[in-house]
Amino acid sequence: MVQTATKLKVALYVRKSREEEGGAEETLHNQRETLVRIAKQKGYSYELFQEVESSINWNRPELAKMIAGIEGGKYDRILVSHIDRIGREIGLLDDIKKLCIEHEIIIETPDNEIKFDDENQELLFGFSSVLSDYEYKRIRHRLTKGKYDAVAIKNRWIGSTPPLGYTWDKNTKQLYVNPEEKKIVRKMVELALLGYSSRLIADKVNKLGYRSRKGNQFKTDRVLGILQNRVYLGESKYNSKRLKKVAVAKDTHEAIITEQEFNQIQALFKSRKSKENLQSLGIKSPVNKLLVCGVCGKGMTVQLNNKVRKTGRNYSFYQIRPCRHQIDLDTKCHNGGVSIYKVENAVLEALKLYKQELEQSLISLLAEDTSGLENSLTSTLEGLEVDLAKQERKAKRLLDLYLDEELDKQSFQQKKQTFEDIISALRNEISIVRFKLESIDASAQVGKVKGIIEMIDNFEEMELEEQNATLKLIISGIVFTKTAETNNEPVIDIKWREL
């Protein structure tokens, strides 16, 4: 039976791009009114599909529904204000063309009908596809250039969602501090400066009842994302791969974190990066990852000694594993091990003495006398710089050995990596101490010292993981030696961090 025009059922497709200027409702309304008027004038039975989506996005919900209807034989033609409303990307338009040919669908616009059994009209559709793709690329370039200029020239932040701590004003197109959310960010900063890991910071803020905008608890990656985001310094950045340029603007909005705080936090995170994820490694002792061999200078590990059994009962215990690192090609380290509780007890006693020193320091700080702190920091800095120079000389000698073919490639690379790790850690520590020396503030230091004293007071009641984090905050290393030279008695030297 021949089908008349009055019986044709058409799909009206209306789309407004997220990237186009103008109000979505107004643009959709204009398209919709034009197409509905044409459908009524021609007596079409129609179903409307409308959405606000990018022309390059293939996974549009309404487009997918329309395609499913075409494949189900529901429509005879597509009615659209212009070909580029379906899409601007050549690949997508080619797929639409194949779909129309397979199901004998006509595409109709207010100015034209495209019947794919007509070679001239198929060619016209091809031209339209190329022009749409070209126009899309021009639009993308213009939009990208606009975003780049917004940062580089107009000194503005651009983004889809304002970071925690800020709200976006559509009228002024500016970021403004959100006082309630700022409290969360500042608490994270405070904990980070005290030396807490990102995981412990998340635990702390969650226990304080802080939540994300969606009401979720904070996780490690979210904390890191906040504390490593330079937006909180009042900066804005736009990296355009299309333009192959990066725009950075300062003072685009009020800062929540200072430059000094940001740099110190990054240095602290970097210095403990290799020690993160302790839960997966398994913390066996508060001194985990702090033990340093007094003979070869390499890290020592804690292990379970389960070989001690009497009458069927388990007397296993944790011990420092004897160090057997390779010192040179022919010599292995000979440092011994010991039951871990001996070191833990020594650390507990050292903490009590250290607390007394901090209390004396606090008296001076309350009197705004920072000379003792300045002298201590200067002495520490000088010692670190001497250590750095020594390690750099060793690294150079190692290279000379390799170039003189006295060391094979594998041994060279292993030792080189060890030196690089040590040198990197020393440089981080130097950076932190220099920052503290340059920004000595008695009132700020009072808060830090009080915080450490409080931690020491609560140390024995802490969970194992938090004990470990606390020790890492105030101790850079526990040098352990047990050799014939020490009469096989353990000698423990605790290296305190400068606060």
Side-chain angles (χ1 to χ4, degrees), residues 7-218:
K7 293 183 179 180
L8 291 176
K9 186 163 185 182
V10 300
L12 272 61
Y13 186 71
V14 176
R15 181 186 65 82
K16 193 281 185 184
S17 175
R18 297 181 186 276
E19 299 158 342
E20 293 171 343
E21 297 179 357
E25 285 302 320
E26 181 182 352
T27 307
L28 292 172
H29 174 78
N30 293 343
Q31 290 184 53
R32 185 172 62 243
E33 288 299 304
T34 300
L35 298 181
V36 168
R37 185 175 64 251
I38 291 172
K40 287 181 177 179
Q41 285 175 352
K42 296 189 176 183
Y44 294 156
S45 171
Y46 65 86
E47 187 173 351
L48 178 66
F49 301 90
Q50 69 174 23
E51 57 194 343
V52 179
E53 291 286 349
S54 170
S55 61
I56 201 170
N57 182 11
W58 293 39
N59 299 316
R60 294 177 237 151
E62 292 299 300
L63 178 65
K65 288 180 187 176
M66 184 181 77
I67 290 173
I70 292 171
E71 291 173 340
K74 290 178 65 176
Y75 312 114
D76 301 293
R77 52 178 71 195
I78 299 171
L79 186 55
V80 64
S81 61
H82 192 275
I83 293 298
D84 64 14
R85 295 302 89 192
I86 297 175
R88 294 183 185 272
E89 208 271 337
I90 289 179
L92 172 60
L93 289 173
D94 189 55
D95 284 350
I96 293 294
K97 182 184 81 170
K98 291 174 182 175
L99 180 74
C100 291
I101 292 172
E102 181 182 353
H103 296 278
E104 299 180 350
I105 300 295
I106 295 171
I107 297 179
E108 183 177 346
T109 70
D111 304 317
N112 196 18
E113 285 187 354
I114 299 174
K115 300 175 181 178
F116 290 100
D117 57 358
D118 183 325
E119 290 184 358
N120 291 327
Q121 290 191 1
E122 184 180 353
L123 184 62
L124 176 64
F125 181 83
F127 282 140
S128 298
S129 300
V130 172
L131 288 172
S132 293
D133 187 66
Y134 173 71
E135 180 62 20
Y136 172 76
K137 289 174 180 174
R138 286 186 59 201
I139 291 171
R140 290 293 296 169
H141 181 83
R142 189 167 64 247
L143 288 168
T144 301
K145 183 69 166 54
K147 290 179 179 179
Y148 180 87
D149 289 346
V151 176
I153 299 173
K154 297 179 182 178
N155 211 49
R156 280 185 7 220
W157 176 85
I158 58 169
S160 55
T161 305
L164 184 78
Y166 292 102
T167 54
W168 172 251
D169 188 308
K170 293 182 180 178
N171 298 319
T172 62
K173 295 184 178 180
Q174 291 290 330
L175 282 180
Y176 293 100
V177 170
N178 180 316
E180 290 304 310
E181 292 182 356
K182 178 182 176 180
K183 292 178 185 176
I184 305 174
V185 177
R186 287 305 307 172
K187 176 54 70 174
M188 291 181 181
V189 171
E190 175 190 325
L191 293 169
L193 290 172
L194 282 172
Y196 281 80
S197 68
S198 54
R199 185 153 44 83
L200 285 177
I201 292 172
D203 290 342
K204 288 284 185 183
V205 295
N206 289 333
K207 286 176 182 176
L208 288 171
Y210 291 126
R211 295 293 182 269
S212 71
R213 284 186 188 142
K214 294 182 179 179
N216 298 324
Q217 290 194 342
F218 289 97

Side-chain angles (χ1 to χ4, degrees), residues 180-412:
E180 290 304 310
E181 292 182 356
K182 178 182 176 180
K183 292 178 185 176
I184 305 174
V185 177
R186 287 305 307 172
K187 176 54 70 174
M188 291 181 181
V189 171
E190 175 190 325
L191 293 169
L193 290 172
L194 282 172
Y196 281 80
S197 68
S198 54
R199 185 153 44 83
L200 285 177
I201 292 172
D203 290 342
K204 288 284 185 183
V205 295
N206 289 333
K207 286 176 182 176
L208 288 171
Y210 291 126
R211 295 293 182 269
S212 71
R213 284 186 188 142
K214 294 182 179 179
N216 298 324
Q217 290 194 342
F218 289 97
K219 295 183 179 179
T220 299
D221 57 347
R222 183 86 164 98
V223 171
L224 279 174
I226 289 171
L227 294 175
Q228 293 177 341
N229 190 346
R230 295 189 68 88
V231 169
Y232 292 101
L233 277 69
E235 287 186 11
S236 295
K237 180 179 178 179
Y238 181 67
N239 186 0
S240 172
K241 293 181 180 179
R242 183 179 293 272
L243 299 177
K244 297 180 180 178
K245 292 196 293 185
V246 178
V248 177
K250 295 183 179 291
D251 302 320
T252 59
H253 50 274
E254 183 182 340
I256 293 178
I257 304 176
T258 68
E259 182 85 35
Q260 292 85 352
E261 288 173 334
F262 185 84
N263 291 338
Q264 187 176 359
I265 288 169
Q266 306 322 305
L268 285 168
F269 279 155
K270 188 174 181 180
S271 68
R272 62 187 296 148
K273 187 174 182 181
S274 63
K275 301 165 187 172
E276 286 290 342
N277 201 20
L278 296 174
Q279 193 170 18
S280 64
L281 294 173
I283 299 177
K284 306 176 183 72
S285 165
V287 300
N288 203 73
K289 297 291 181 180
L290 280 167
L291 295 162
V292 179
C293 177
V295 177
C296 68
K298 296 184 179 179
M300 300 186 77
T301 58
V302 179
Q303 68 174 11
L304 181 67
N305 185 331
N306 55 10
K307 296 179 180 179
V308 184
R309 292 179 180 275
K310 295 180 181 179
T311 62
R313 297 178 66 182
N314 187 357
Y315 289 87
S316 59
F317 61 93
Y318 282 110
Q319 67 175 19
I320 297 176
R321 183 180 181 181
C323 185
R324 294 296 179 264
H325 284 109
Q326 199 79 27
I327 294 177
D328 54 42
L329 291 175
D330 303 314
T331 312
K332 281 190 176 182
C333 185
H334 57 281
N335 202 6
V338 73
S339 176
I340 196 65
Y341 81 88
K342 291 186 178 181
V343 178
E344 292 174 351
N345 289 342
V347 170
L348 285 174
E349 290 303 313
L351 282 176
K352 293 173 185 177
L353 295 174
Y354 185 57
K355 178 189 169 185
Q356 293 175 9
E357 292 180 22
L358 291 176
E359 288 170 337
Q360 289 299 314
S361 172
L362 191 57
I363 293 171
S364 298
L365 290 170
L366 290 170
E368 296 191 351
D369 176 9
T370 60
S371 58
L373 174 62
E374 188 173 349
N375 291 336
S376 177
L377 286 170
T378 302
S379 175
T380 299
L381 181 60
E382 290 171 354
L384 288 169
E385 288 174 338
V386 168
D387 287 344
L388 177 62
K390 188 186 298 182
Q391 294 299 328
E392 287 176 336
R393 286 195 299 271
K394 286 183 179 180
K396 186 179 182 304
R397 283 201 298 270
L398 180 72
L399 178 61
D400 291 339
L401 287 172
Y402 176 62
L403 294 175
D404 291 340
E405 298 184 353
E406 293 183 30
L407 202 62
D408 63 80
K409 185 175 181 180
Q410 184 178 357
S411 298
F412 168 71

Side-chain angles (χ1 to χ4, degrees), residues 404-470:
D404 291 340
E405 298 184 353
E406 293 183 30
L407 202 62
D408 63 80
K409 185 175 181 180
Q410 184 178 357
S411 298
F412 168 71
Q413 289 178 335
Q414 289 174 346
K415 292 178 181 294
K416 177 174 175 285
Q417 185 61 54
T418 300
F419 280 124
E420 285 178 350
D421 290 343
I422 294 171
I423 289 170
S424 176
L426 284 169
R427 284 176 177 165
N428 284 333
E429 197 74 20
I430 287 170
S431 174
I432 293 170
V433 174
R434 278 179 178 163
F435 167 74
K436 290 176 179 177
L437 194 56
E438 291 167 2
S439 56
I440 290 177
D441 180 348
S443 59
Q445 194 68 14
V446 164
K448 288 183 181 179
V449 173
K450 284 183 175 179
I452 298 301
I453 290 174
E454 183 182 351
M455 286 182 181
I456 294 173
D457 285 338
N458 298 323
F459 184 80
E460 294 188 59
E461 284 72 44
M462 290 178 182
E463 296 290 334
L464 185 60
E465 185 177 341
E466 194 167 358
Q467 285 183 335
N468 184 245
T470 300

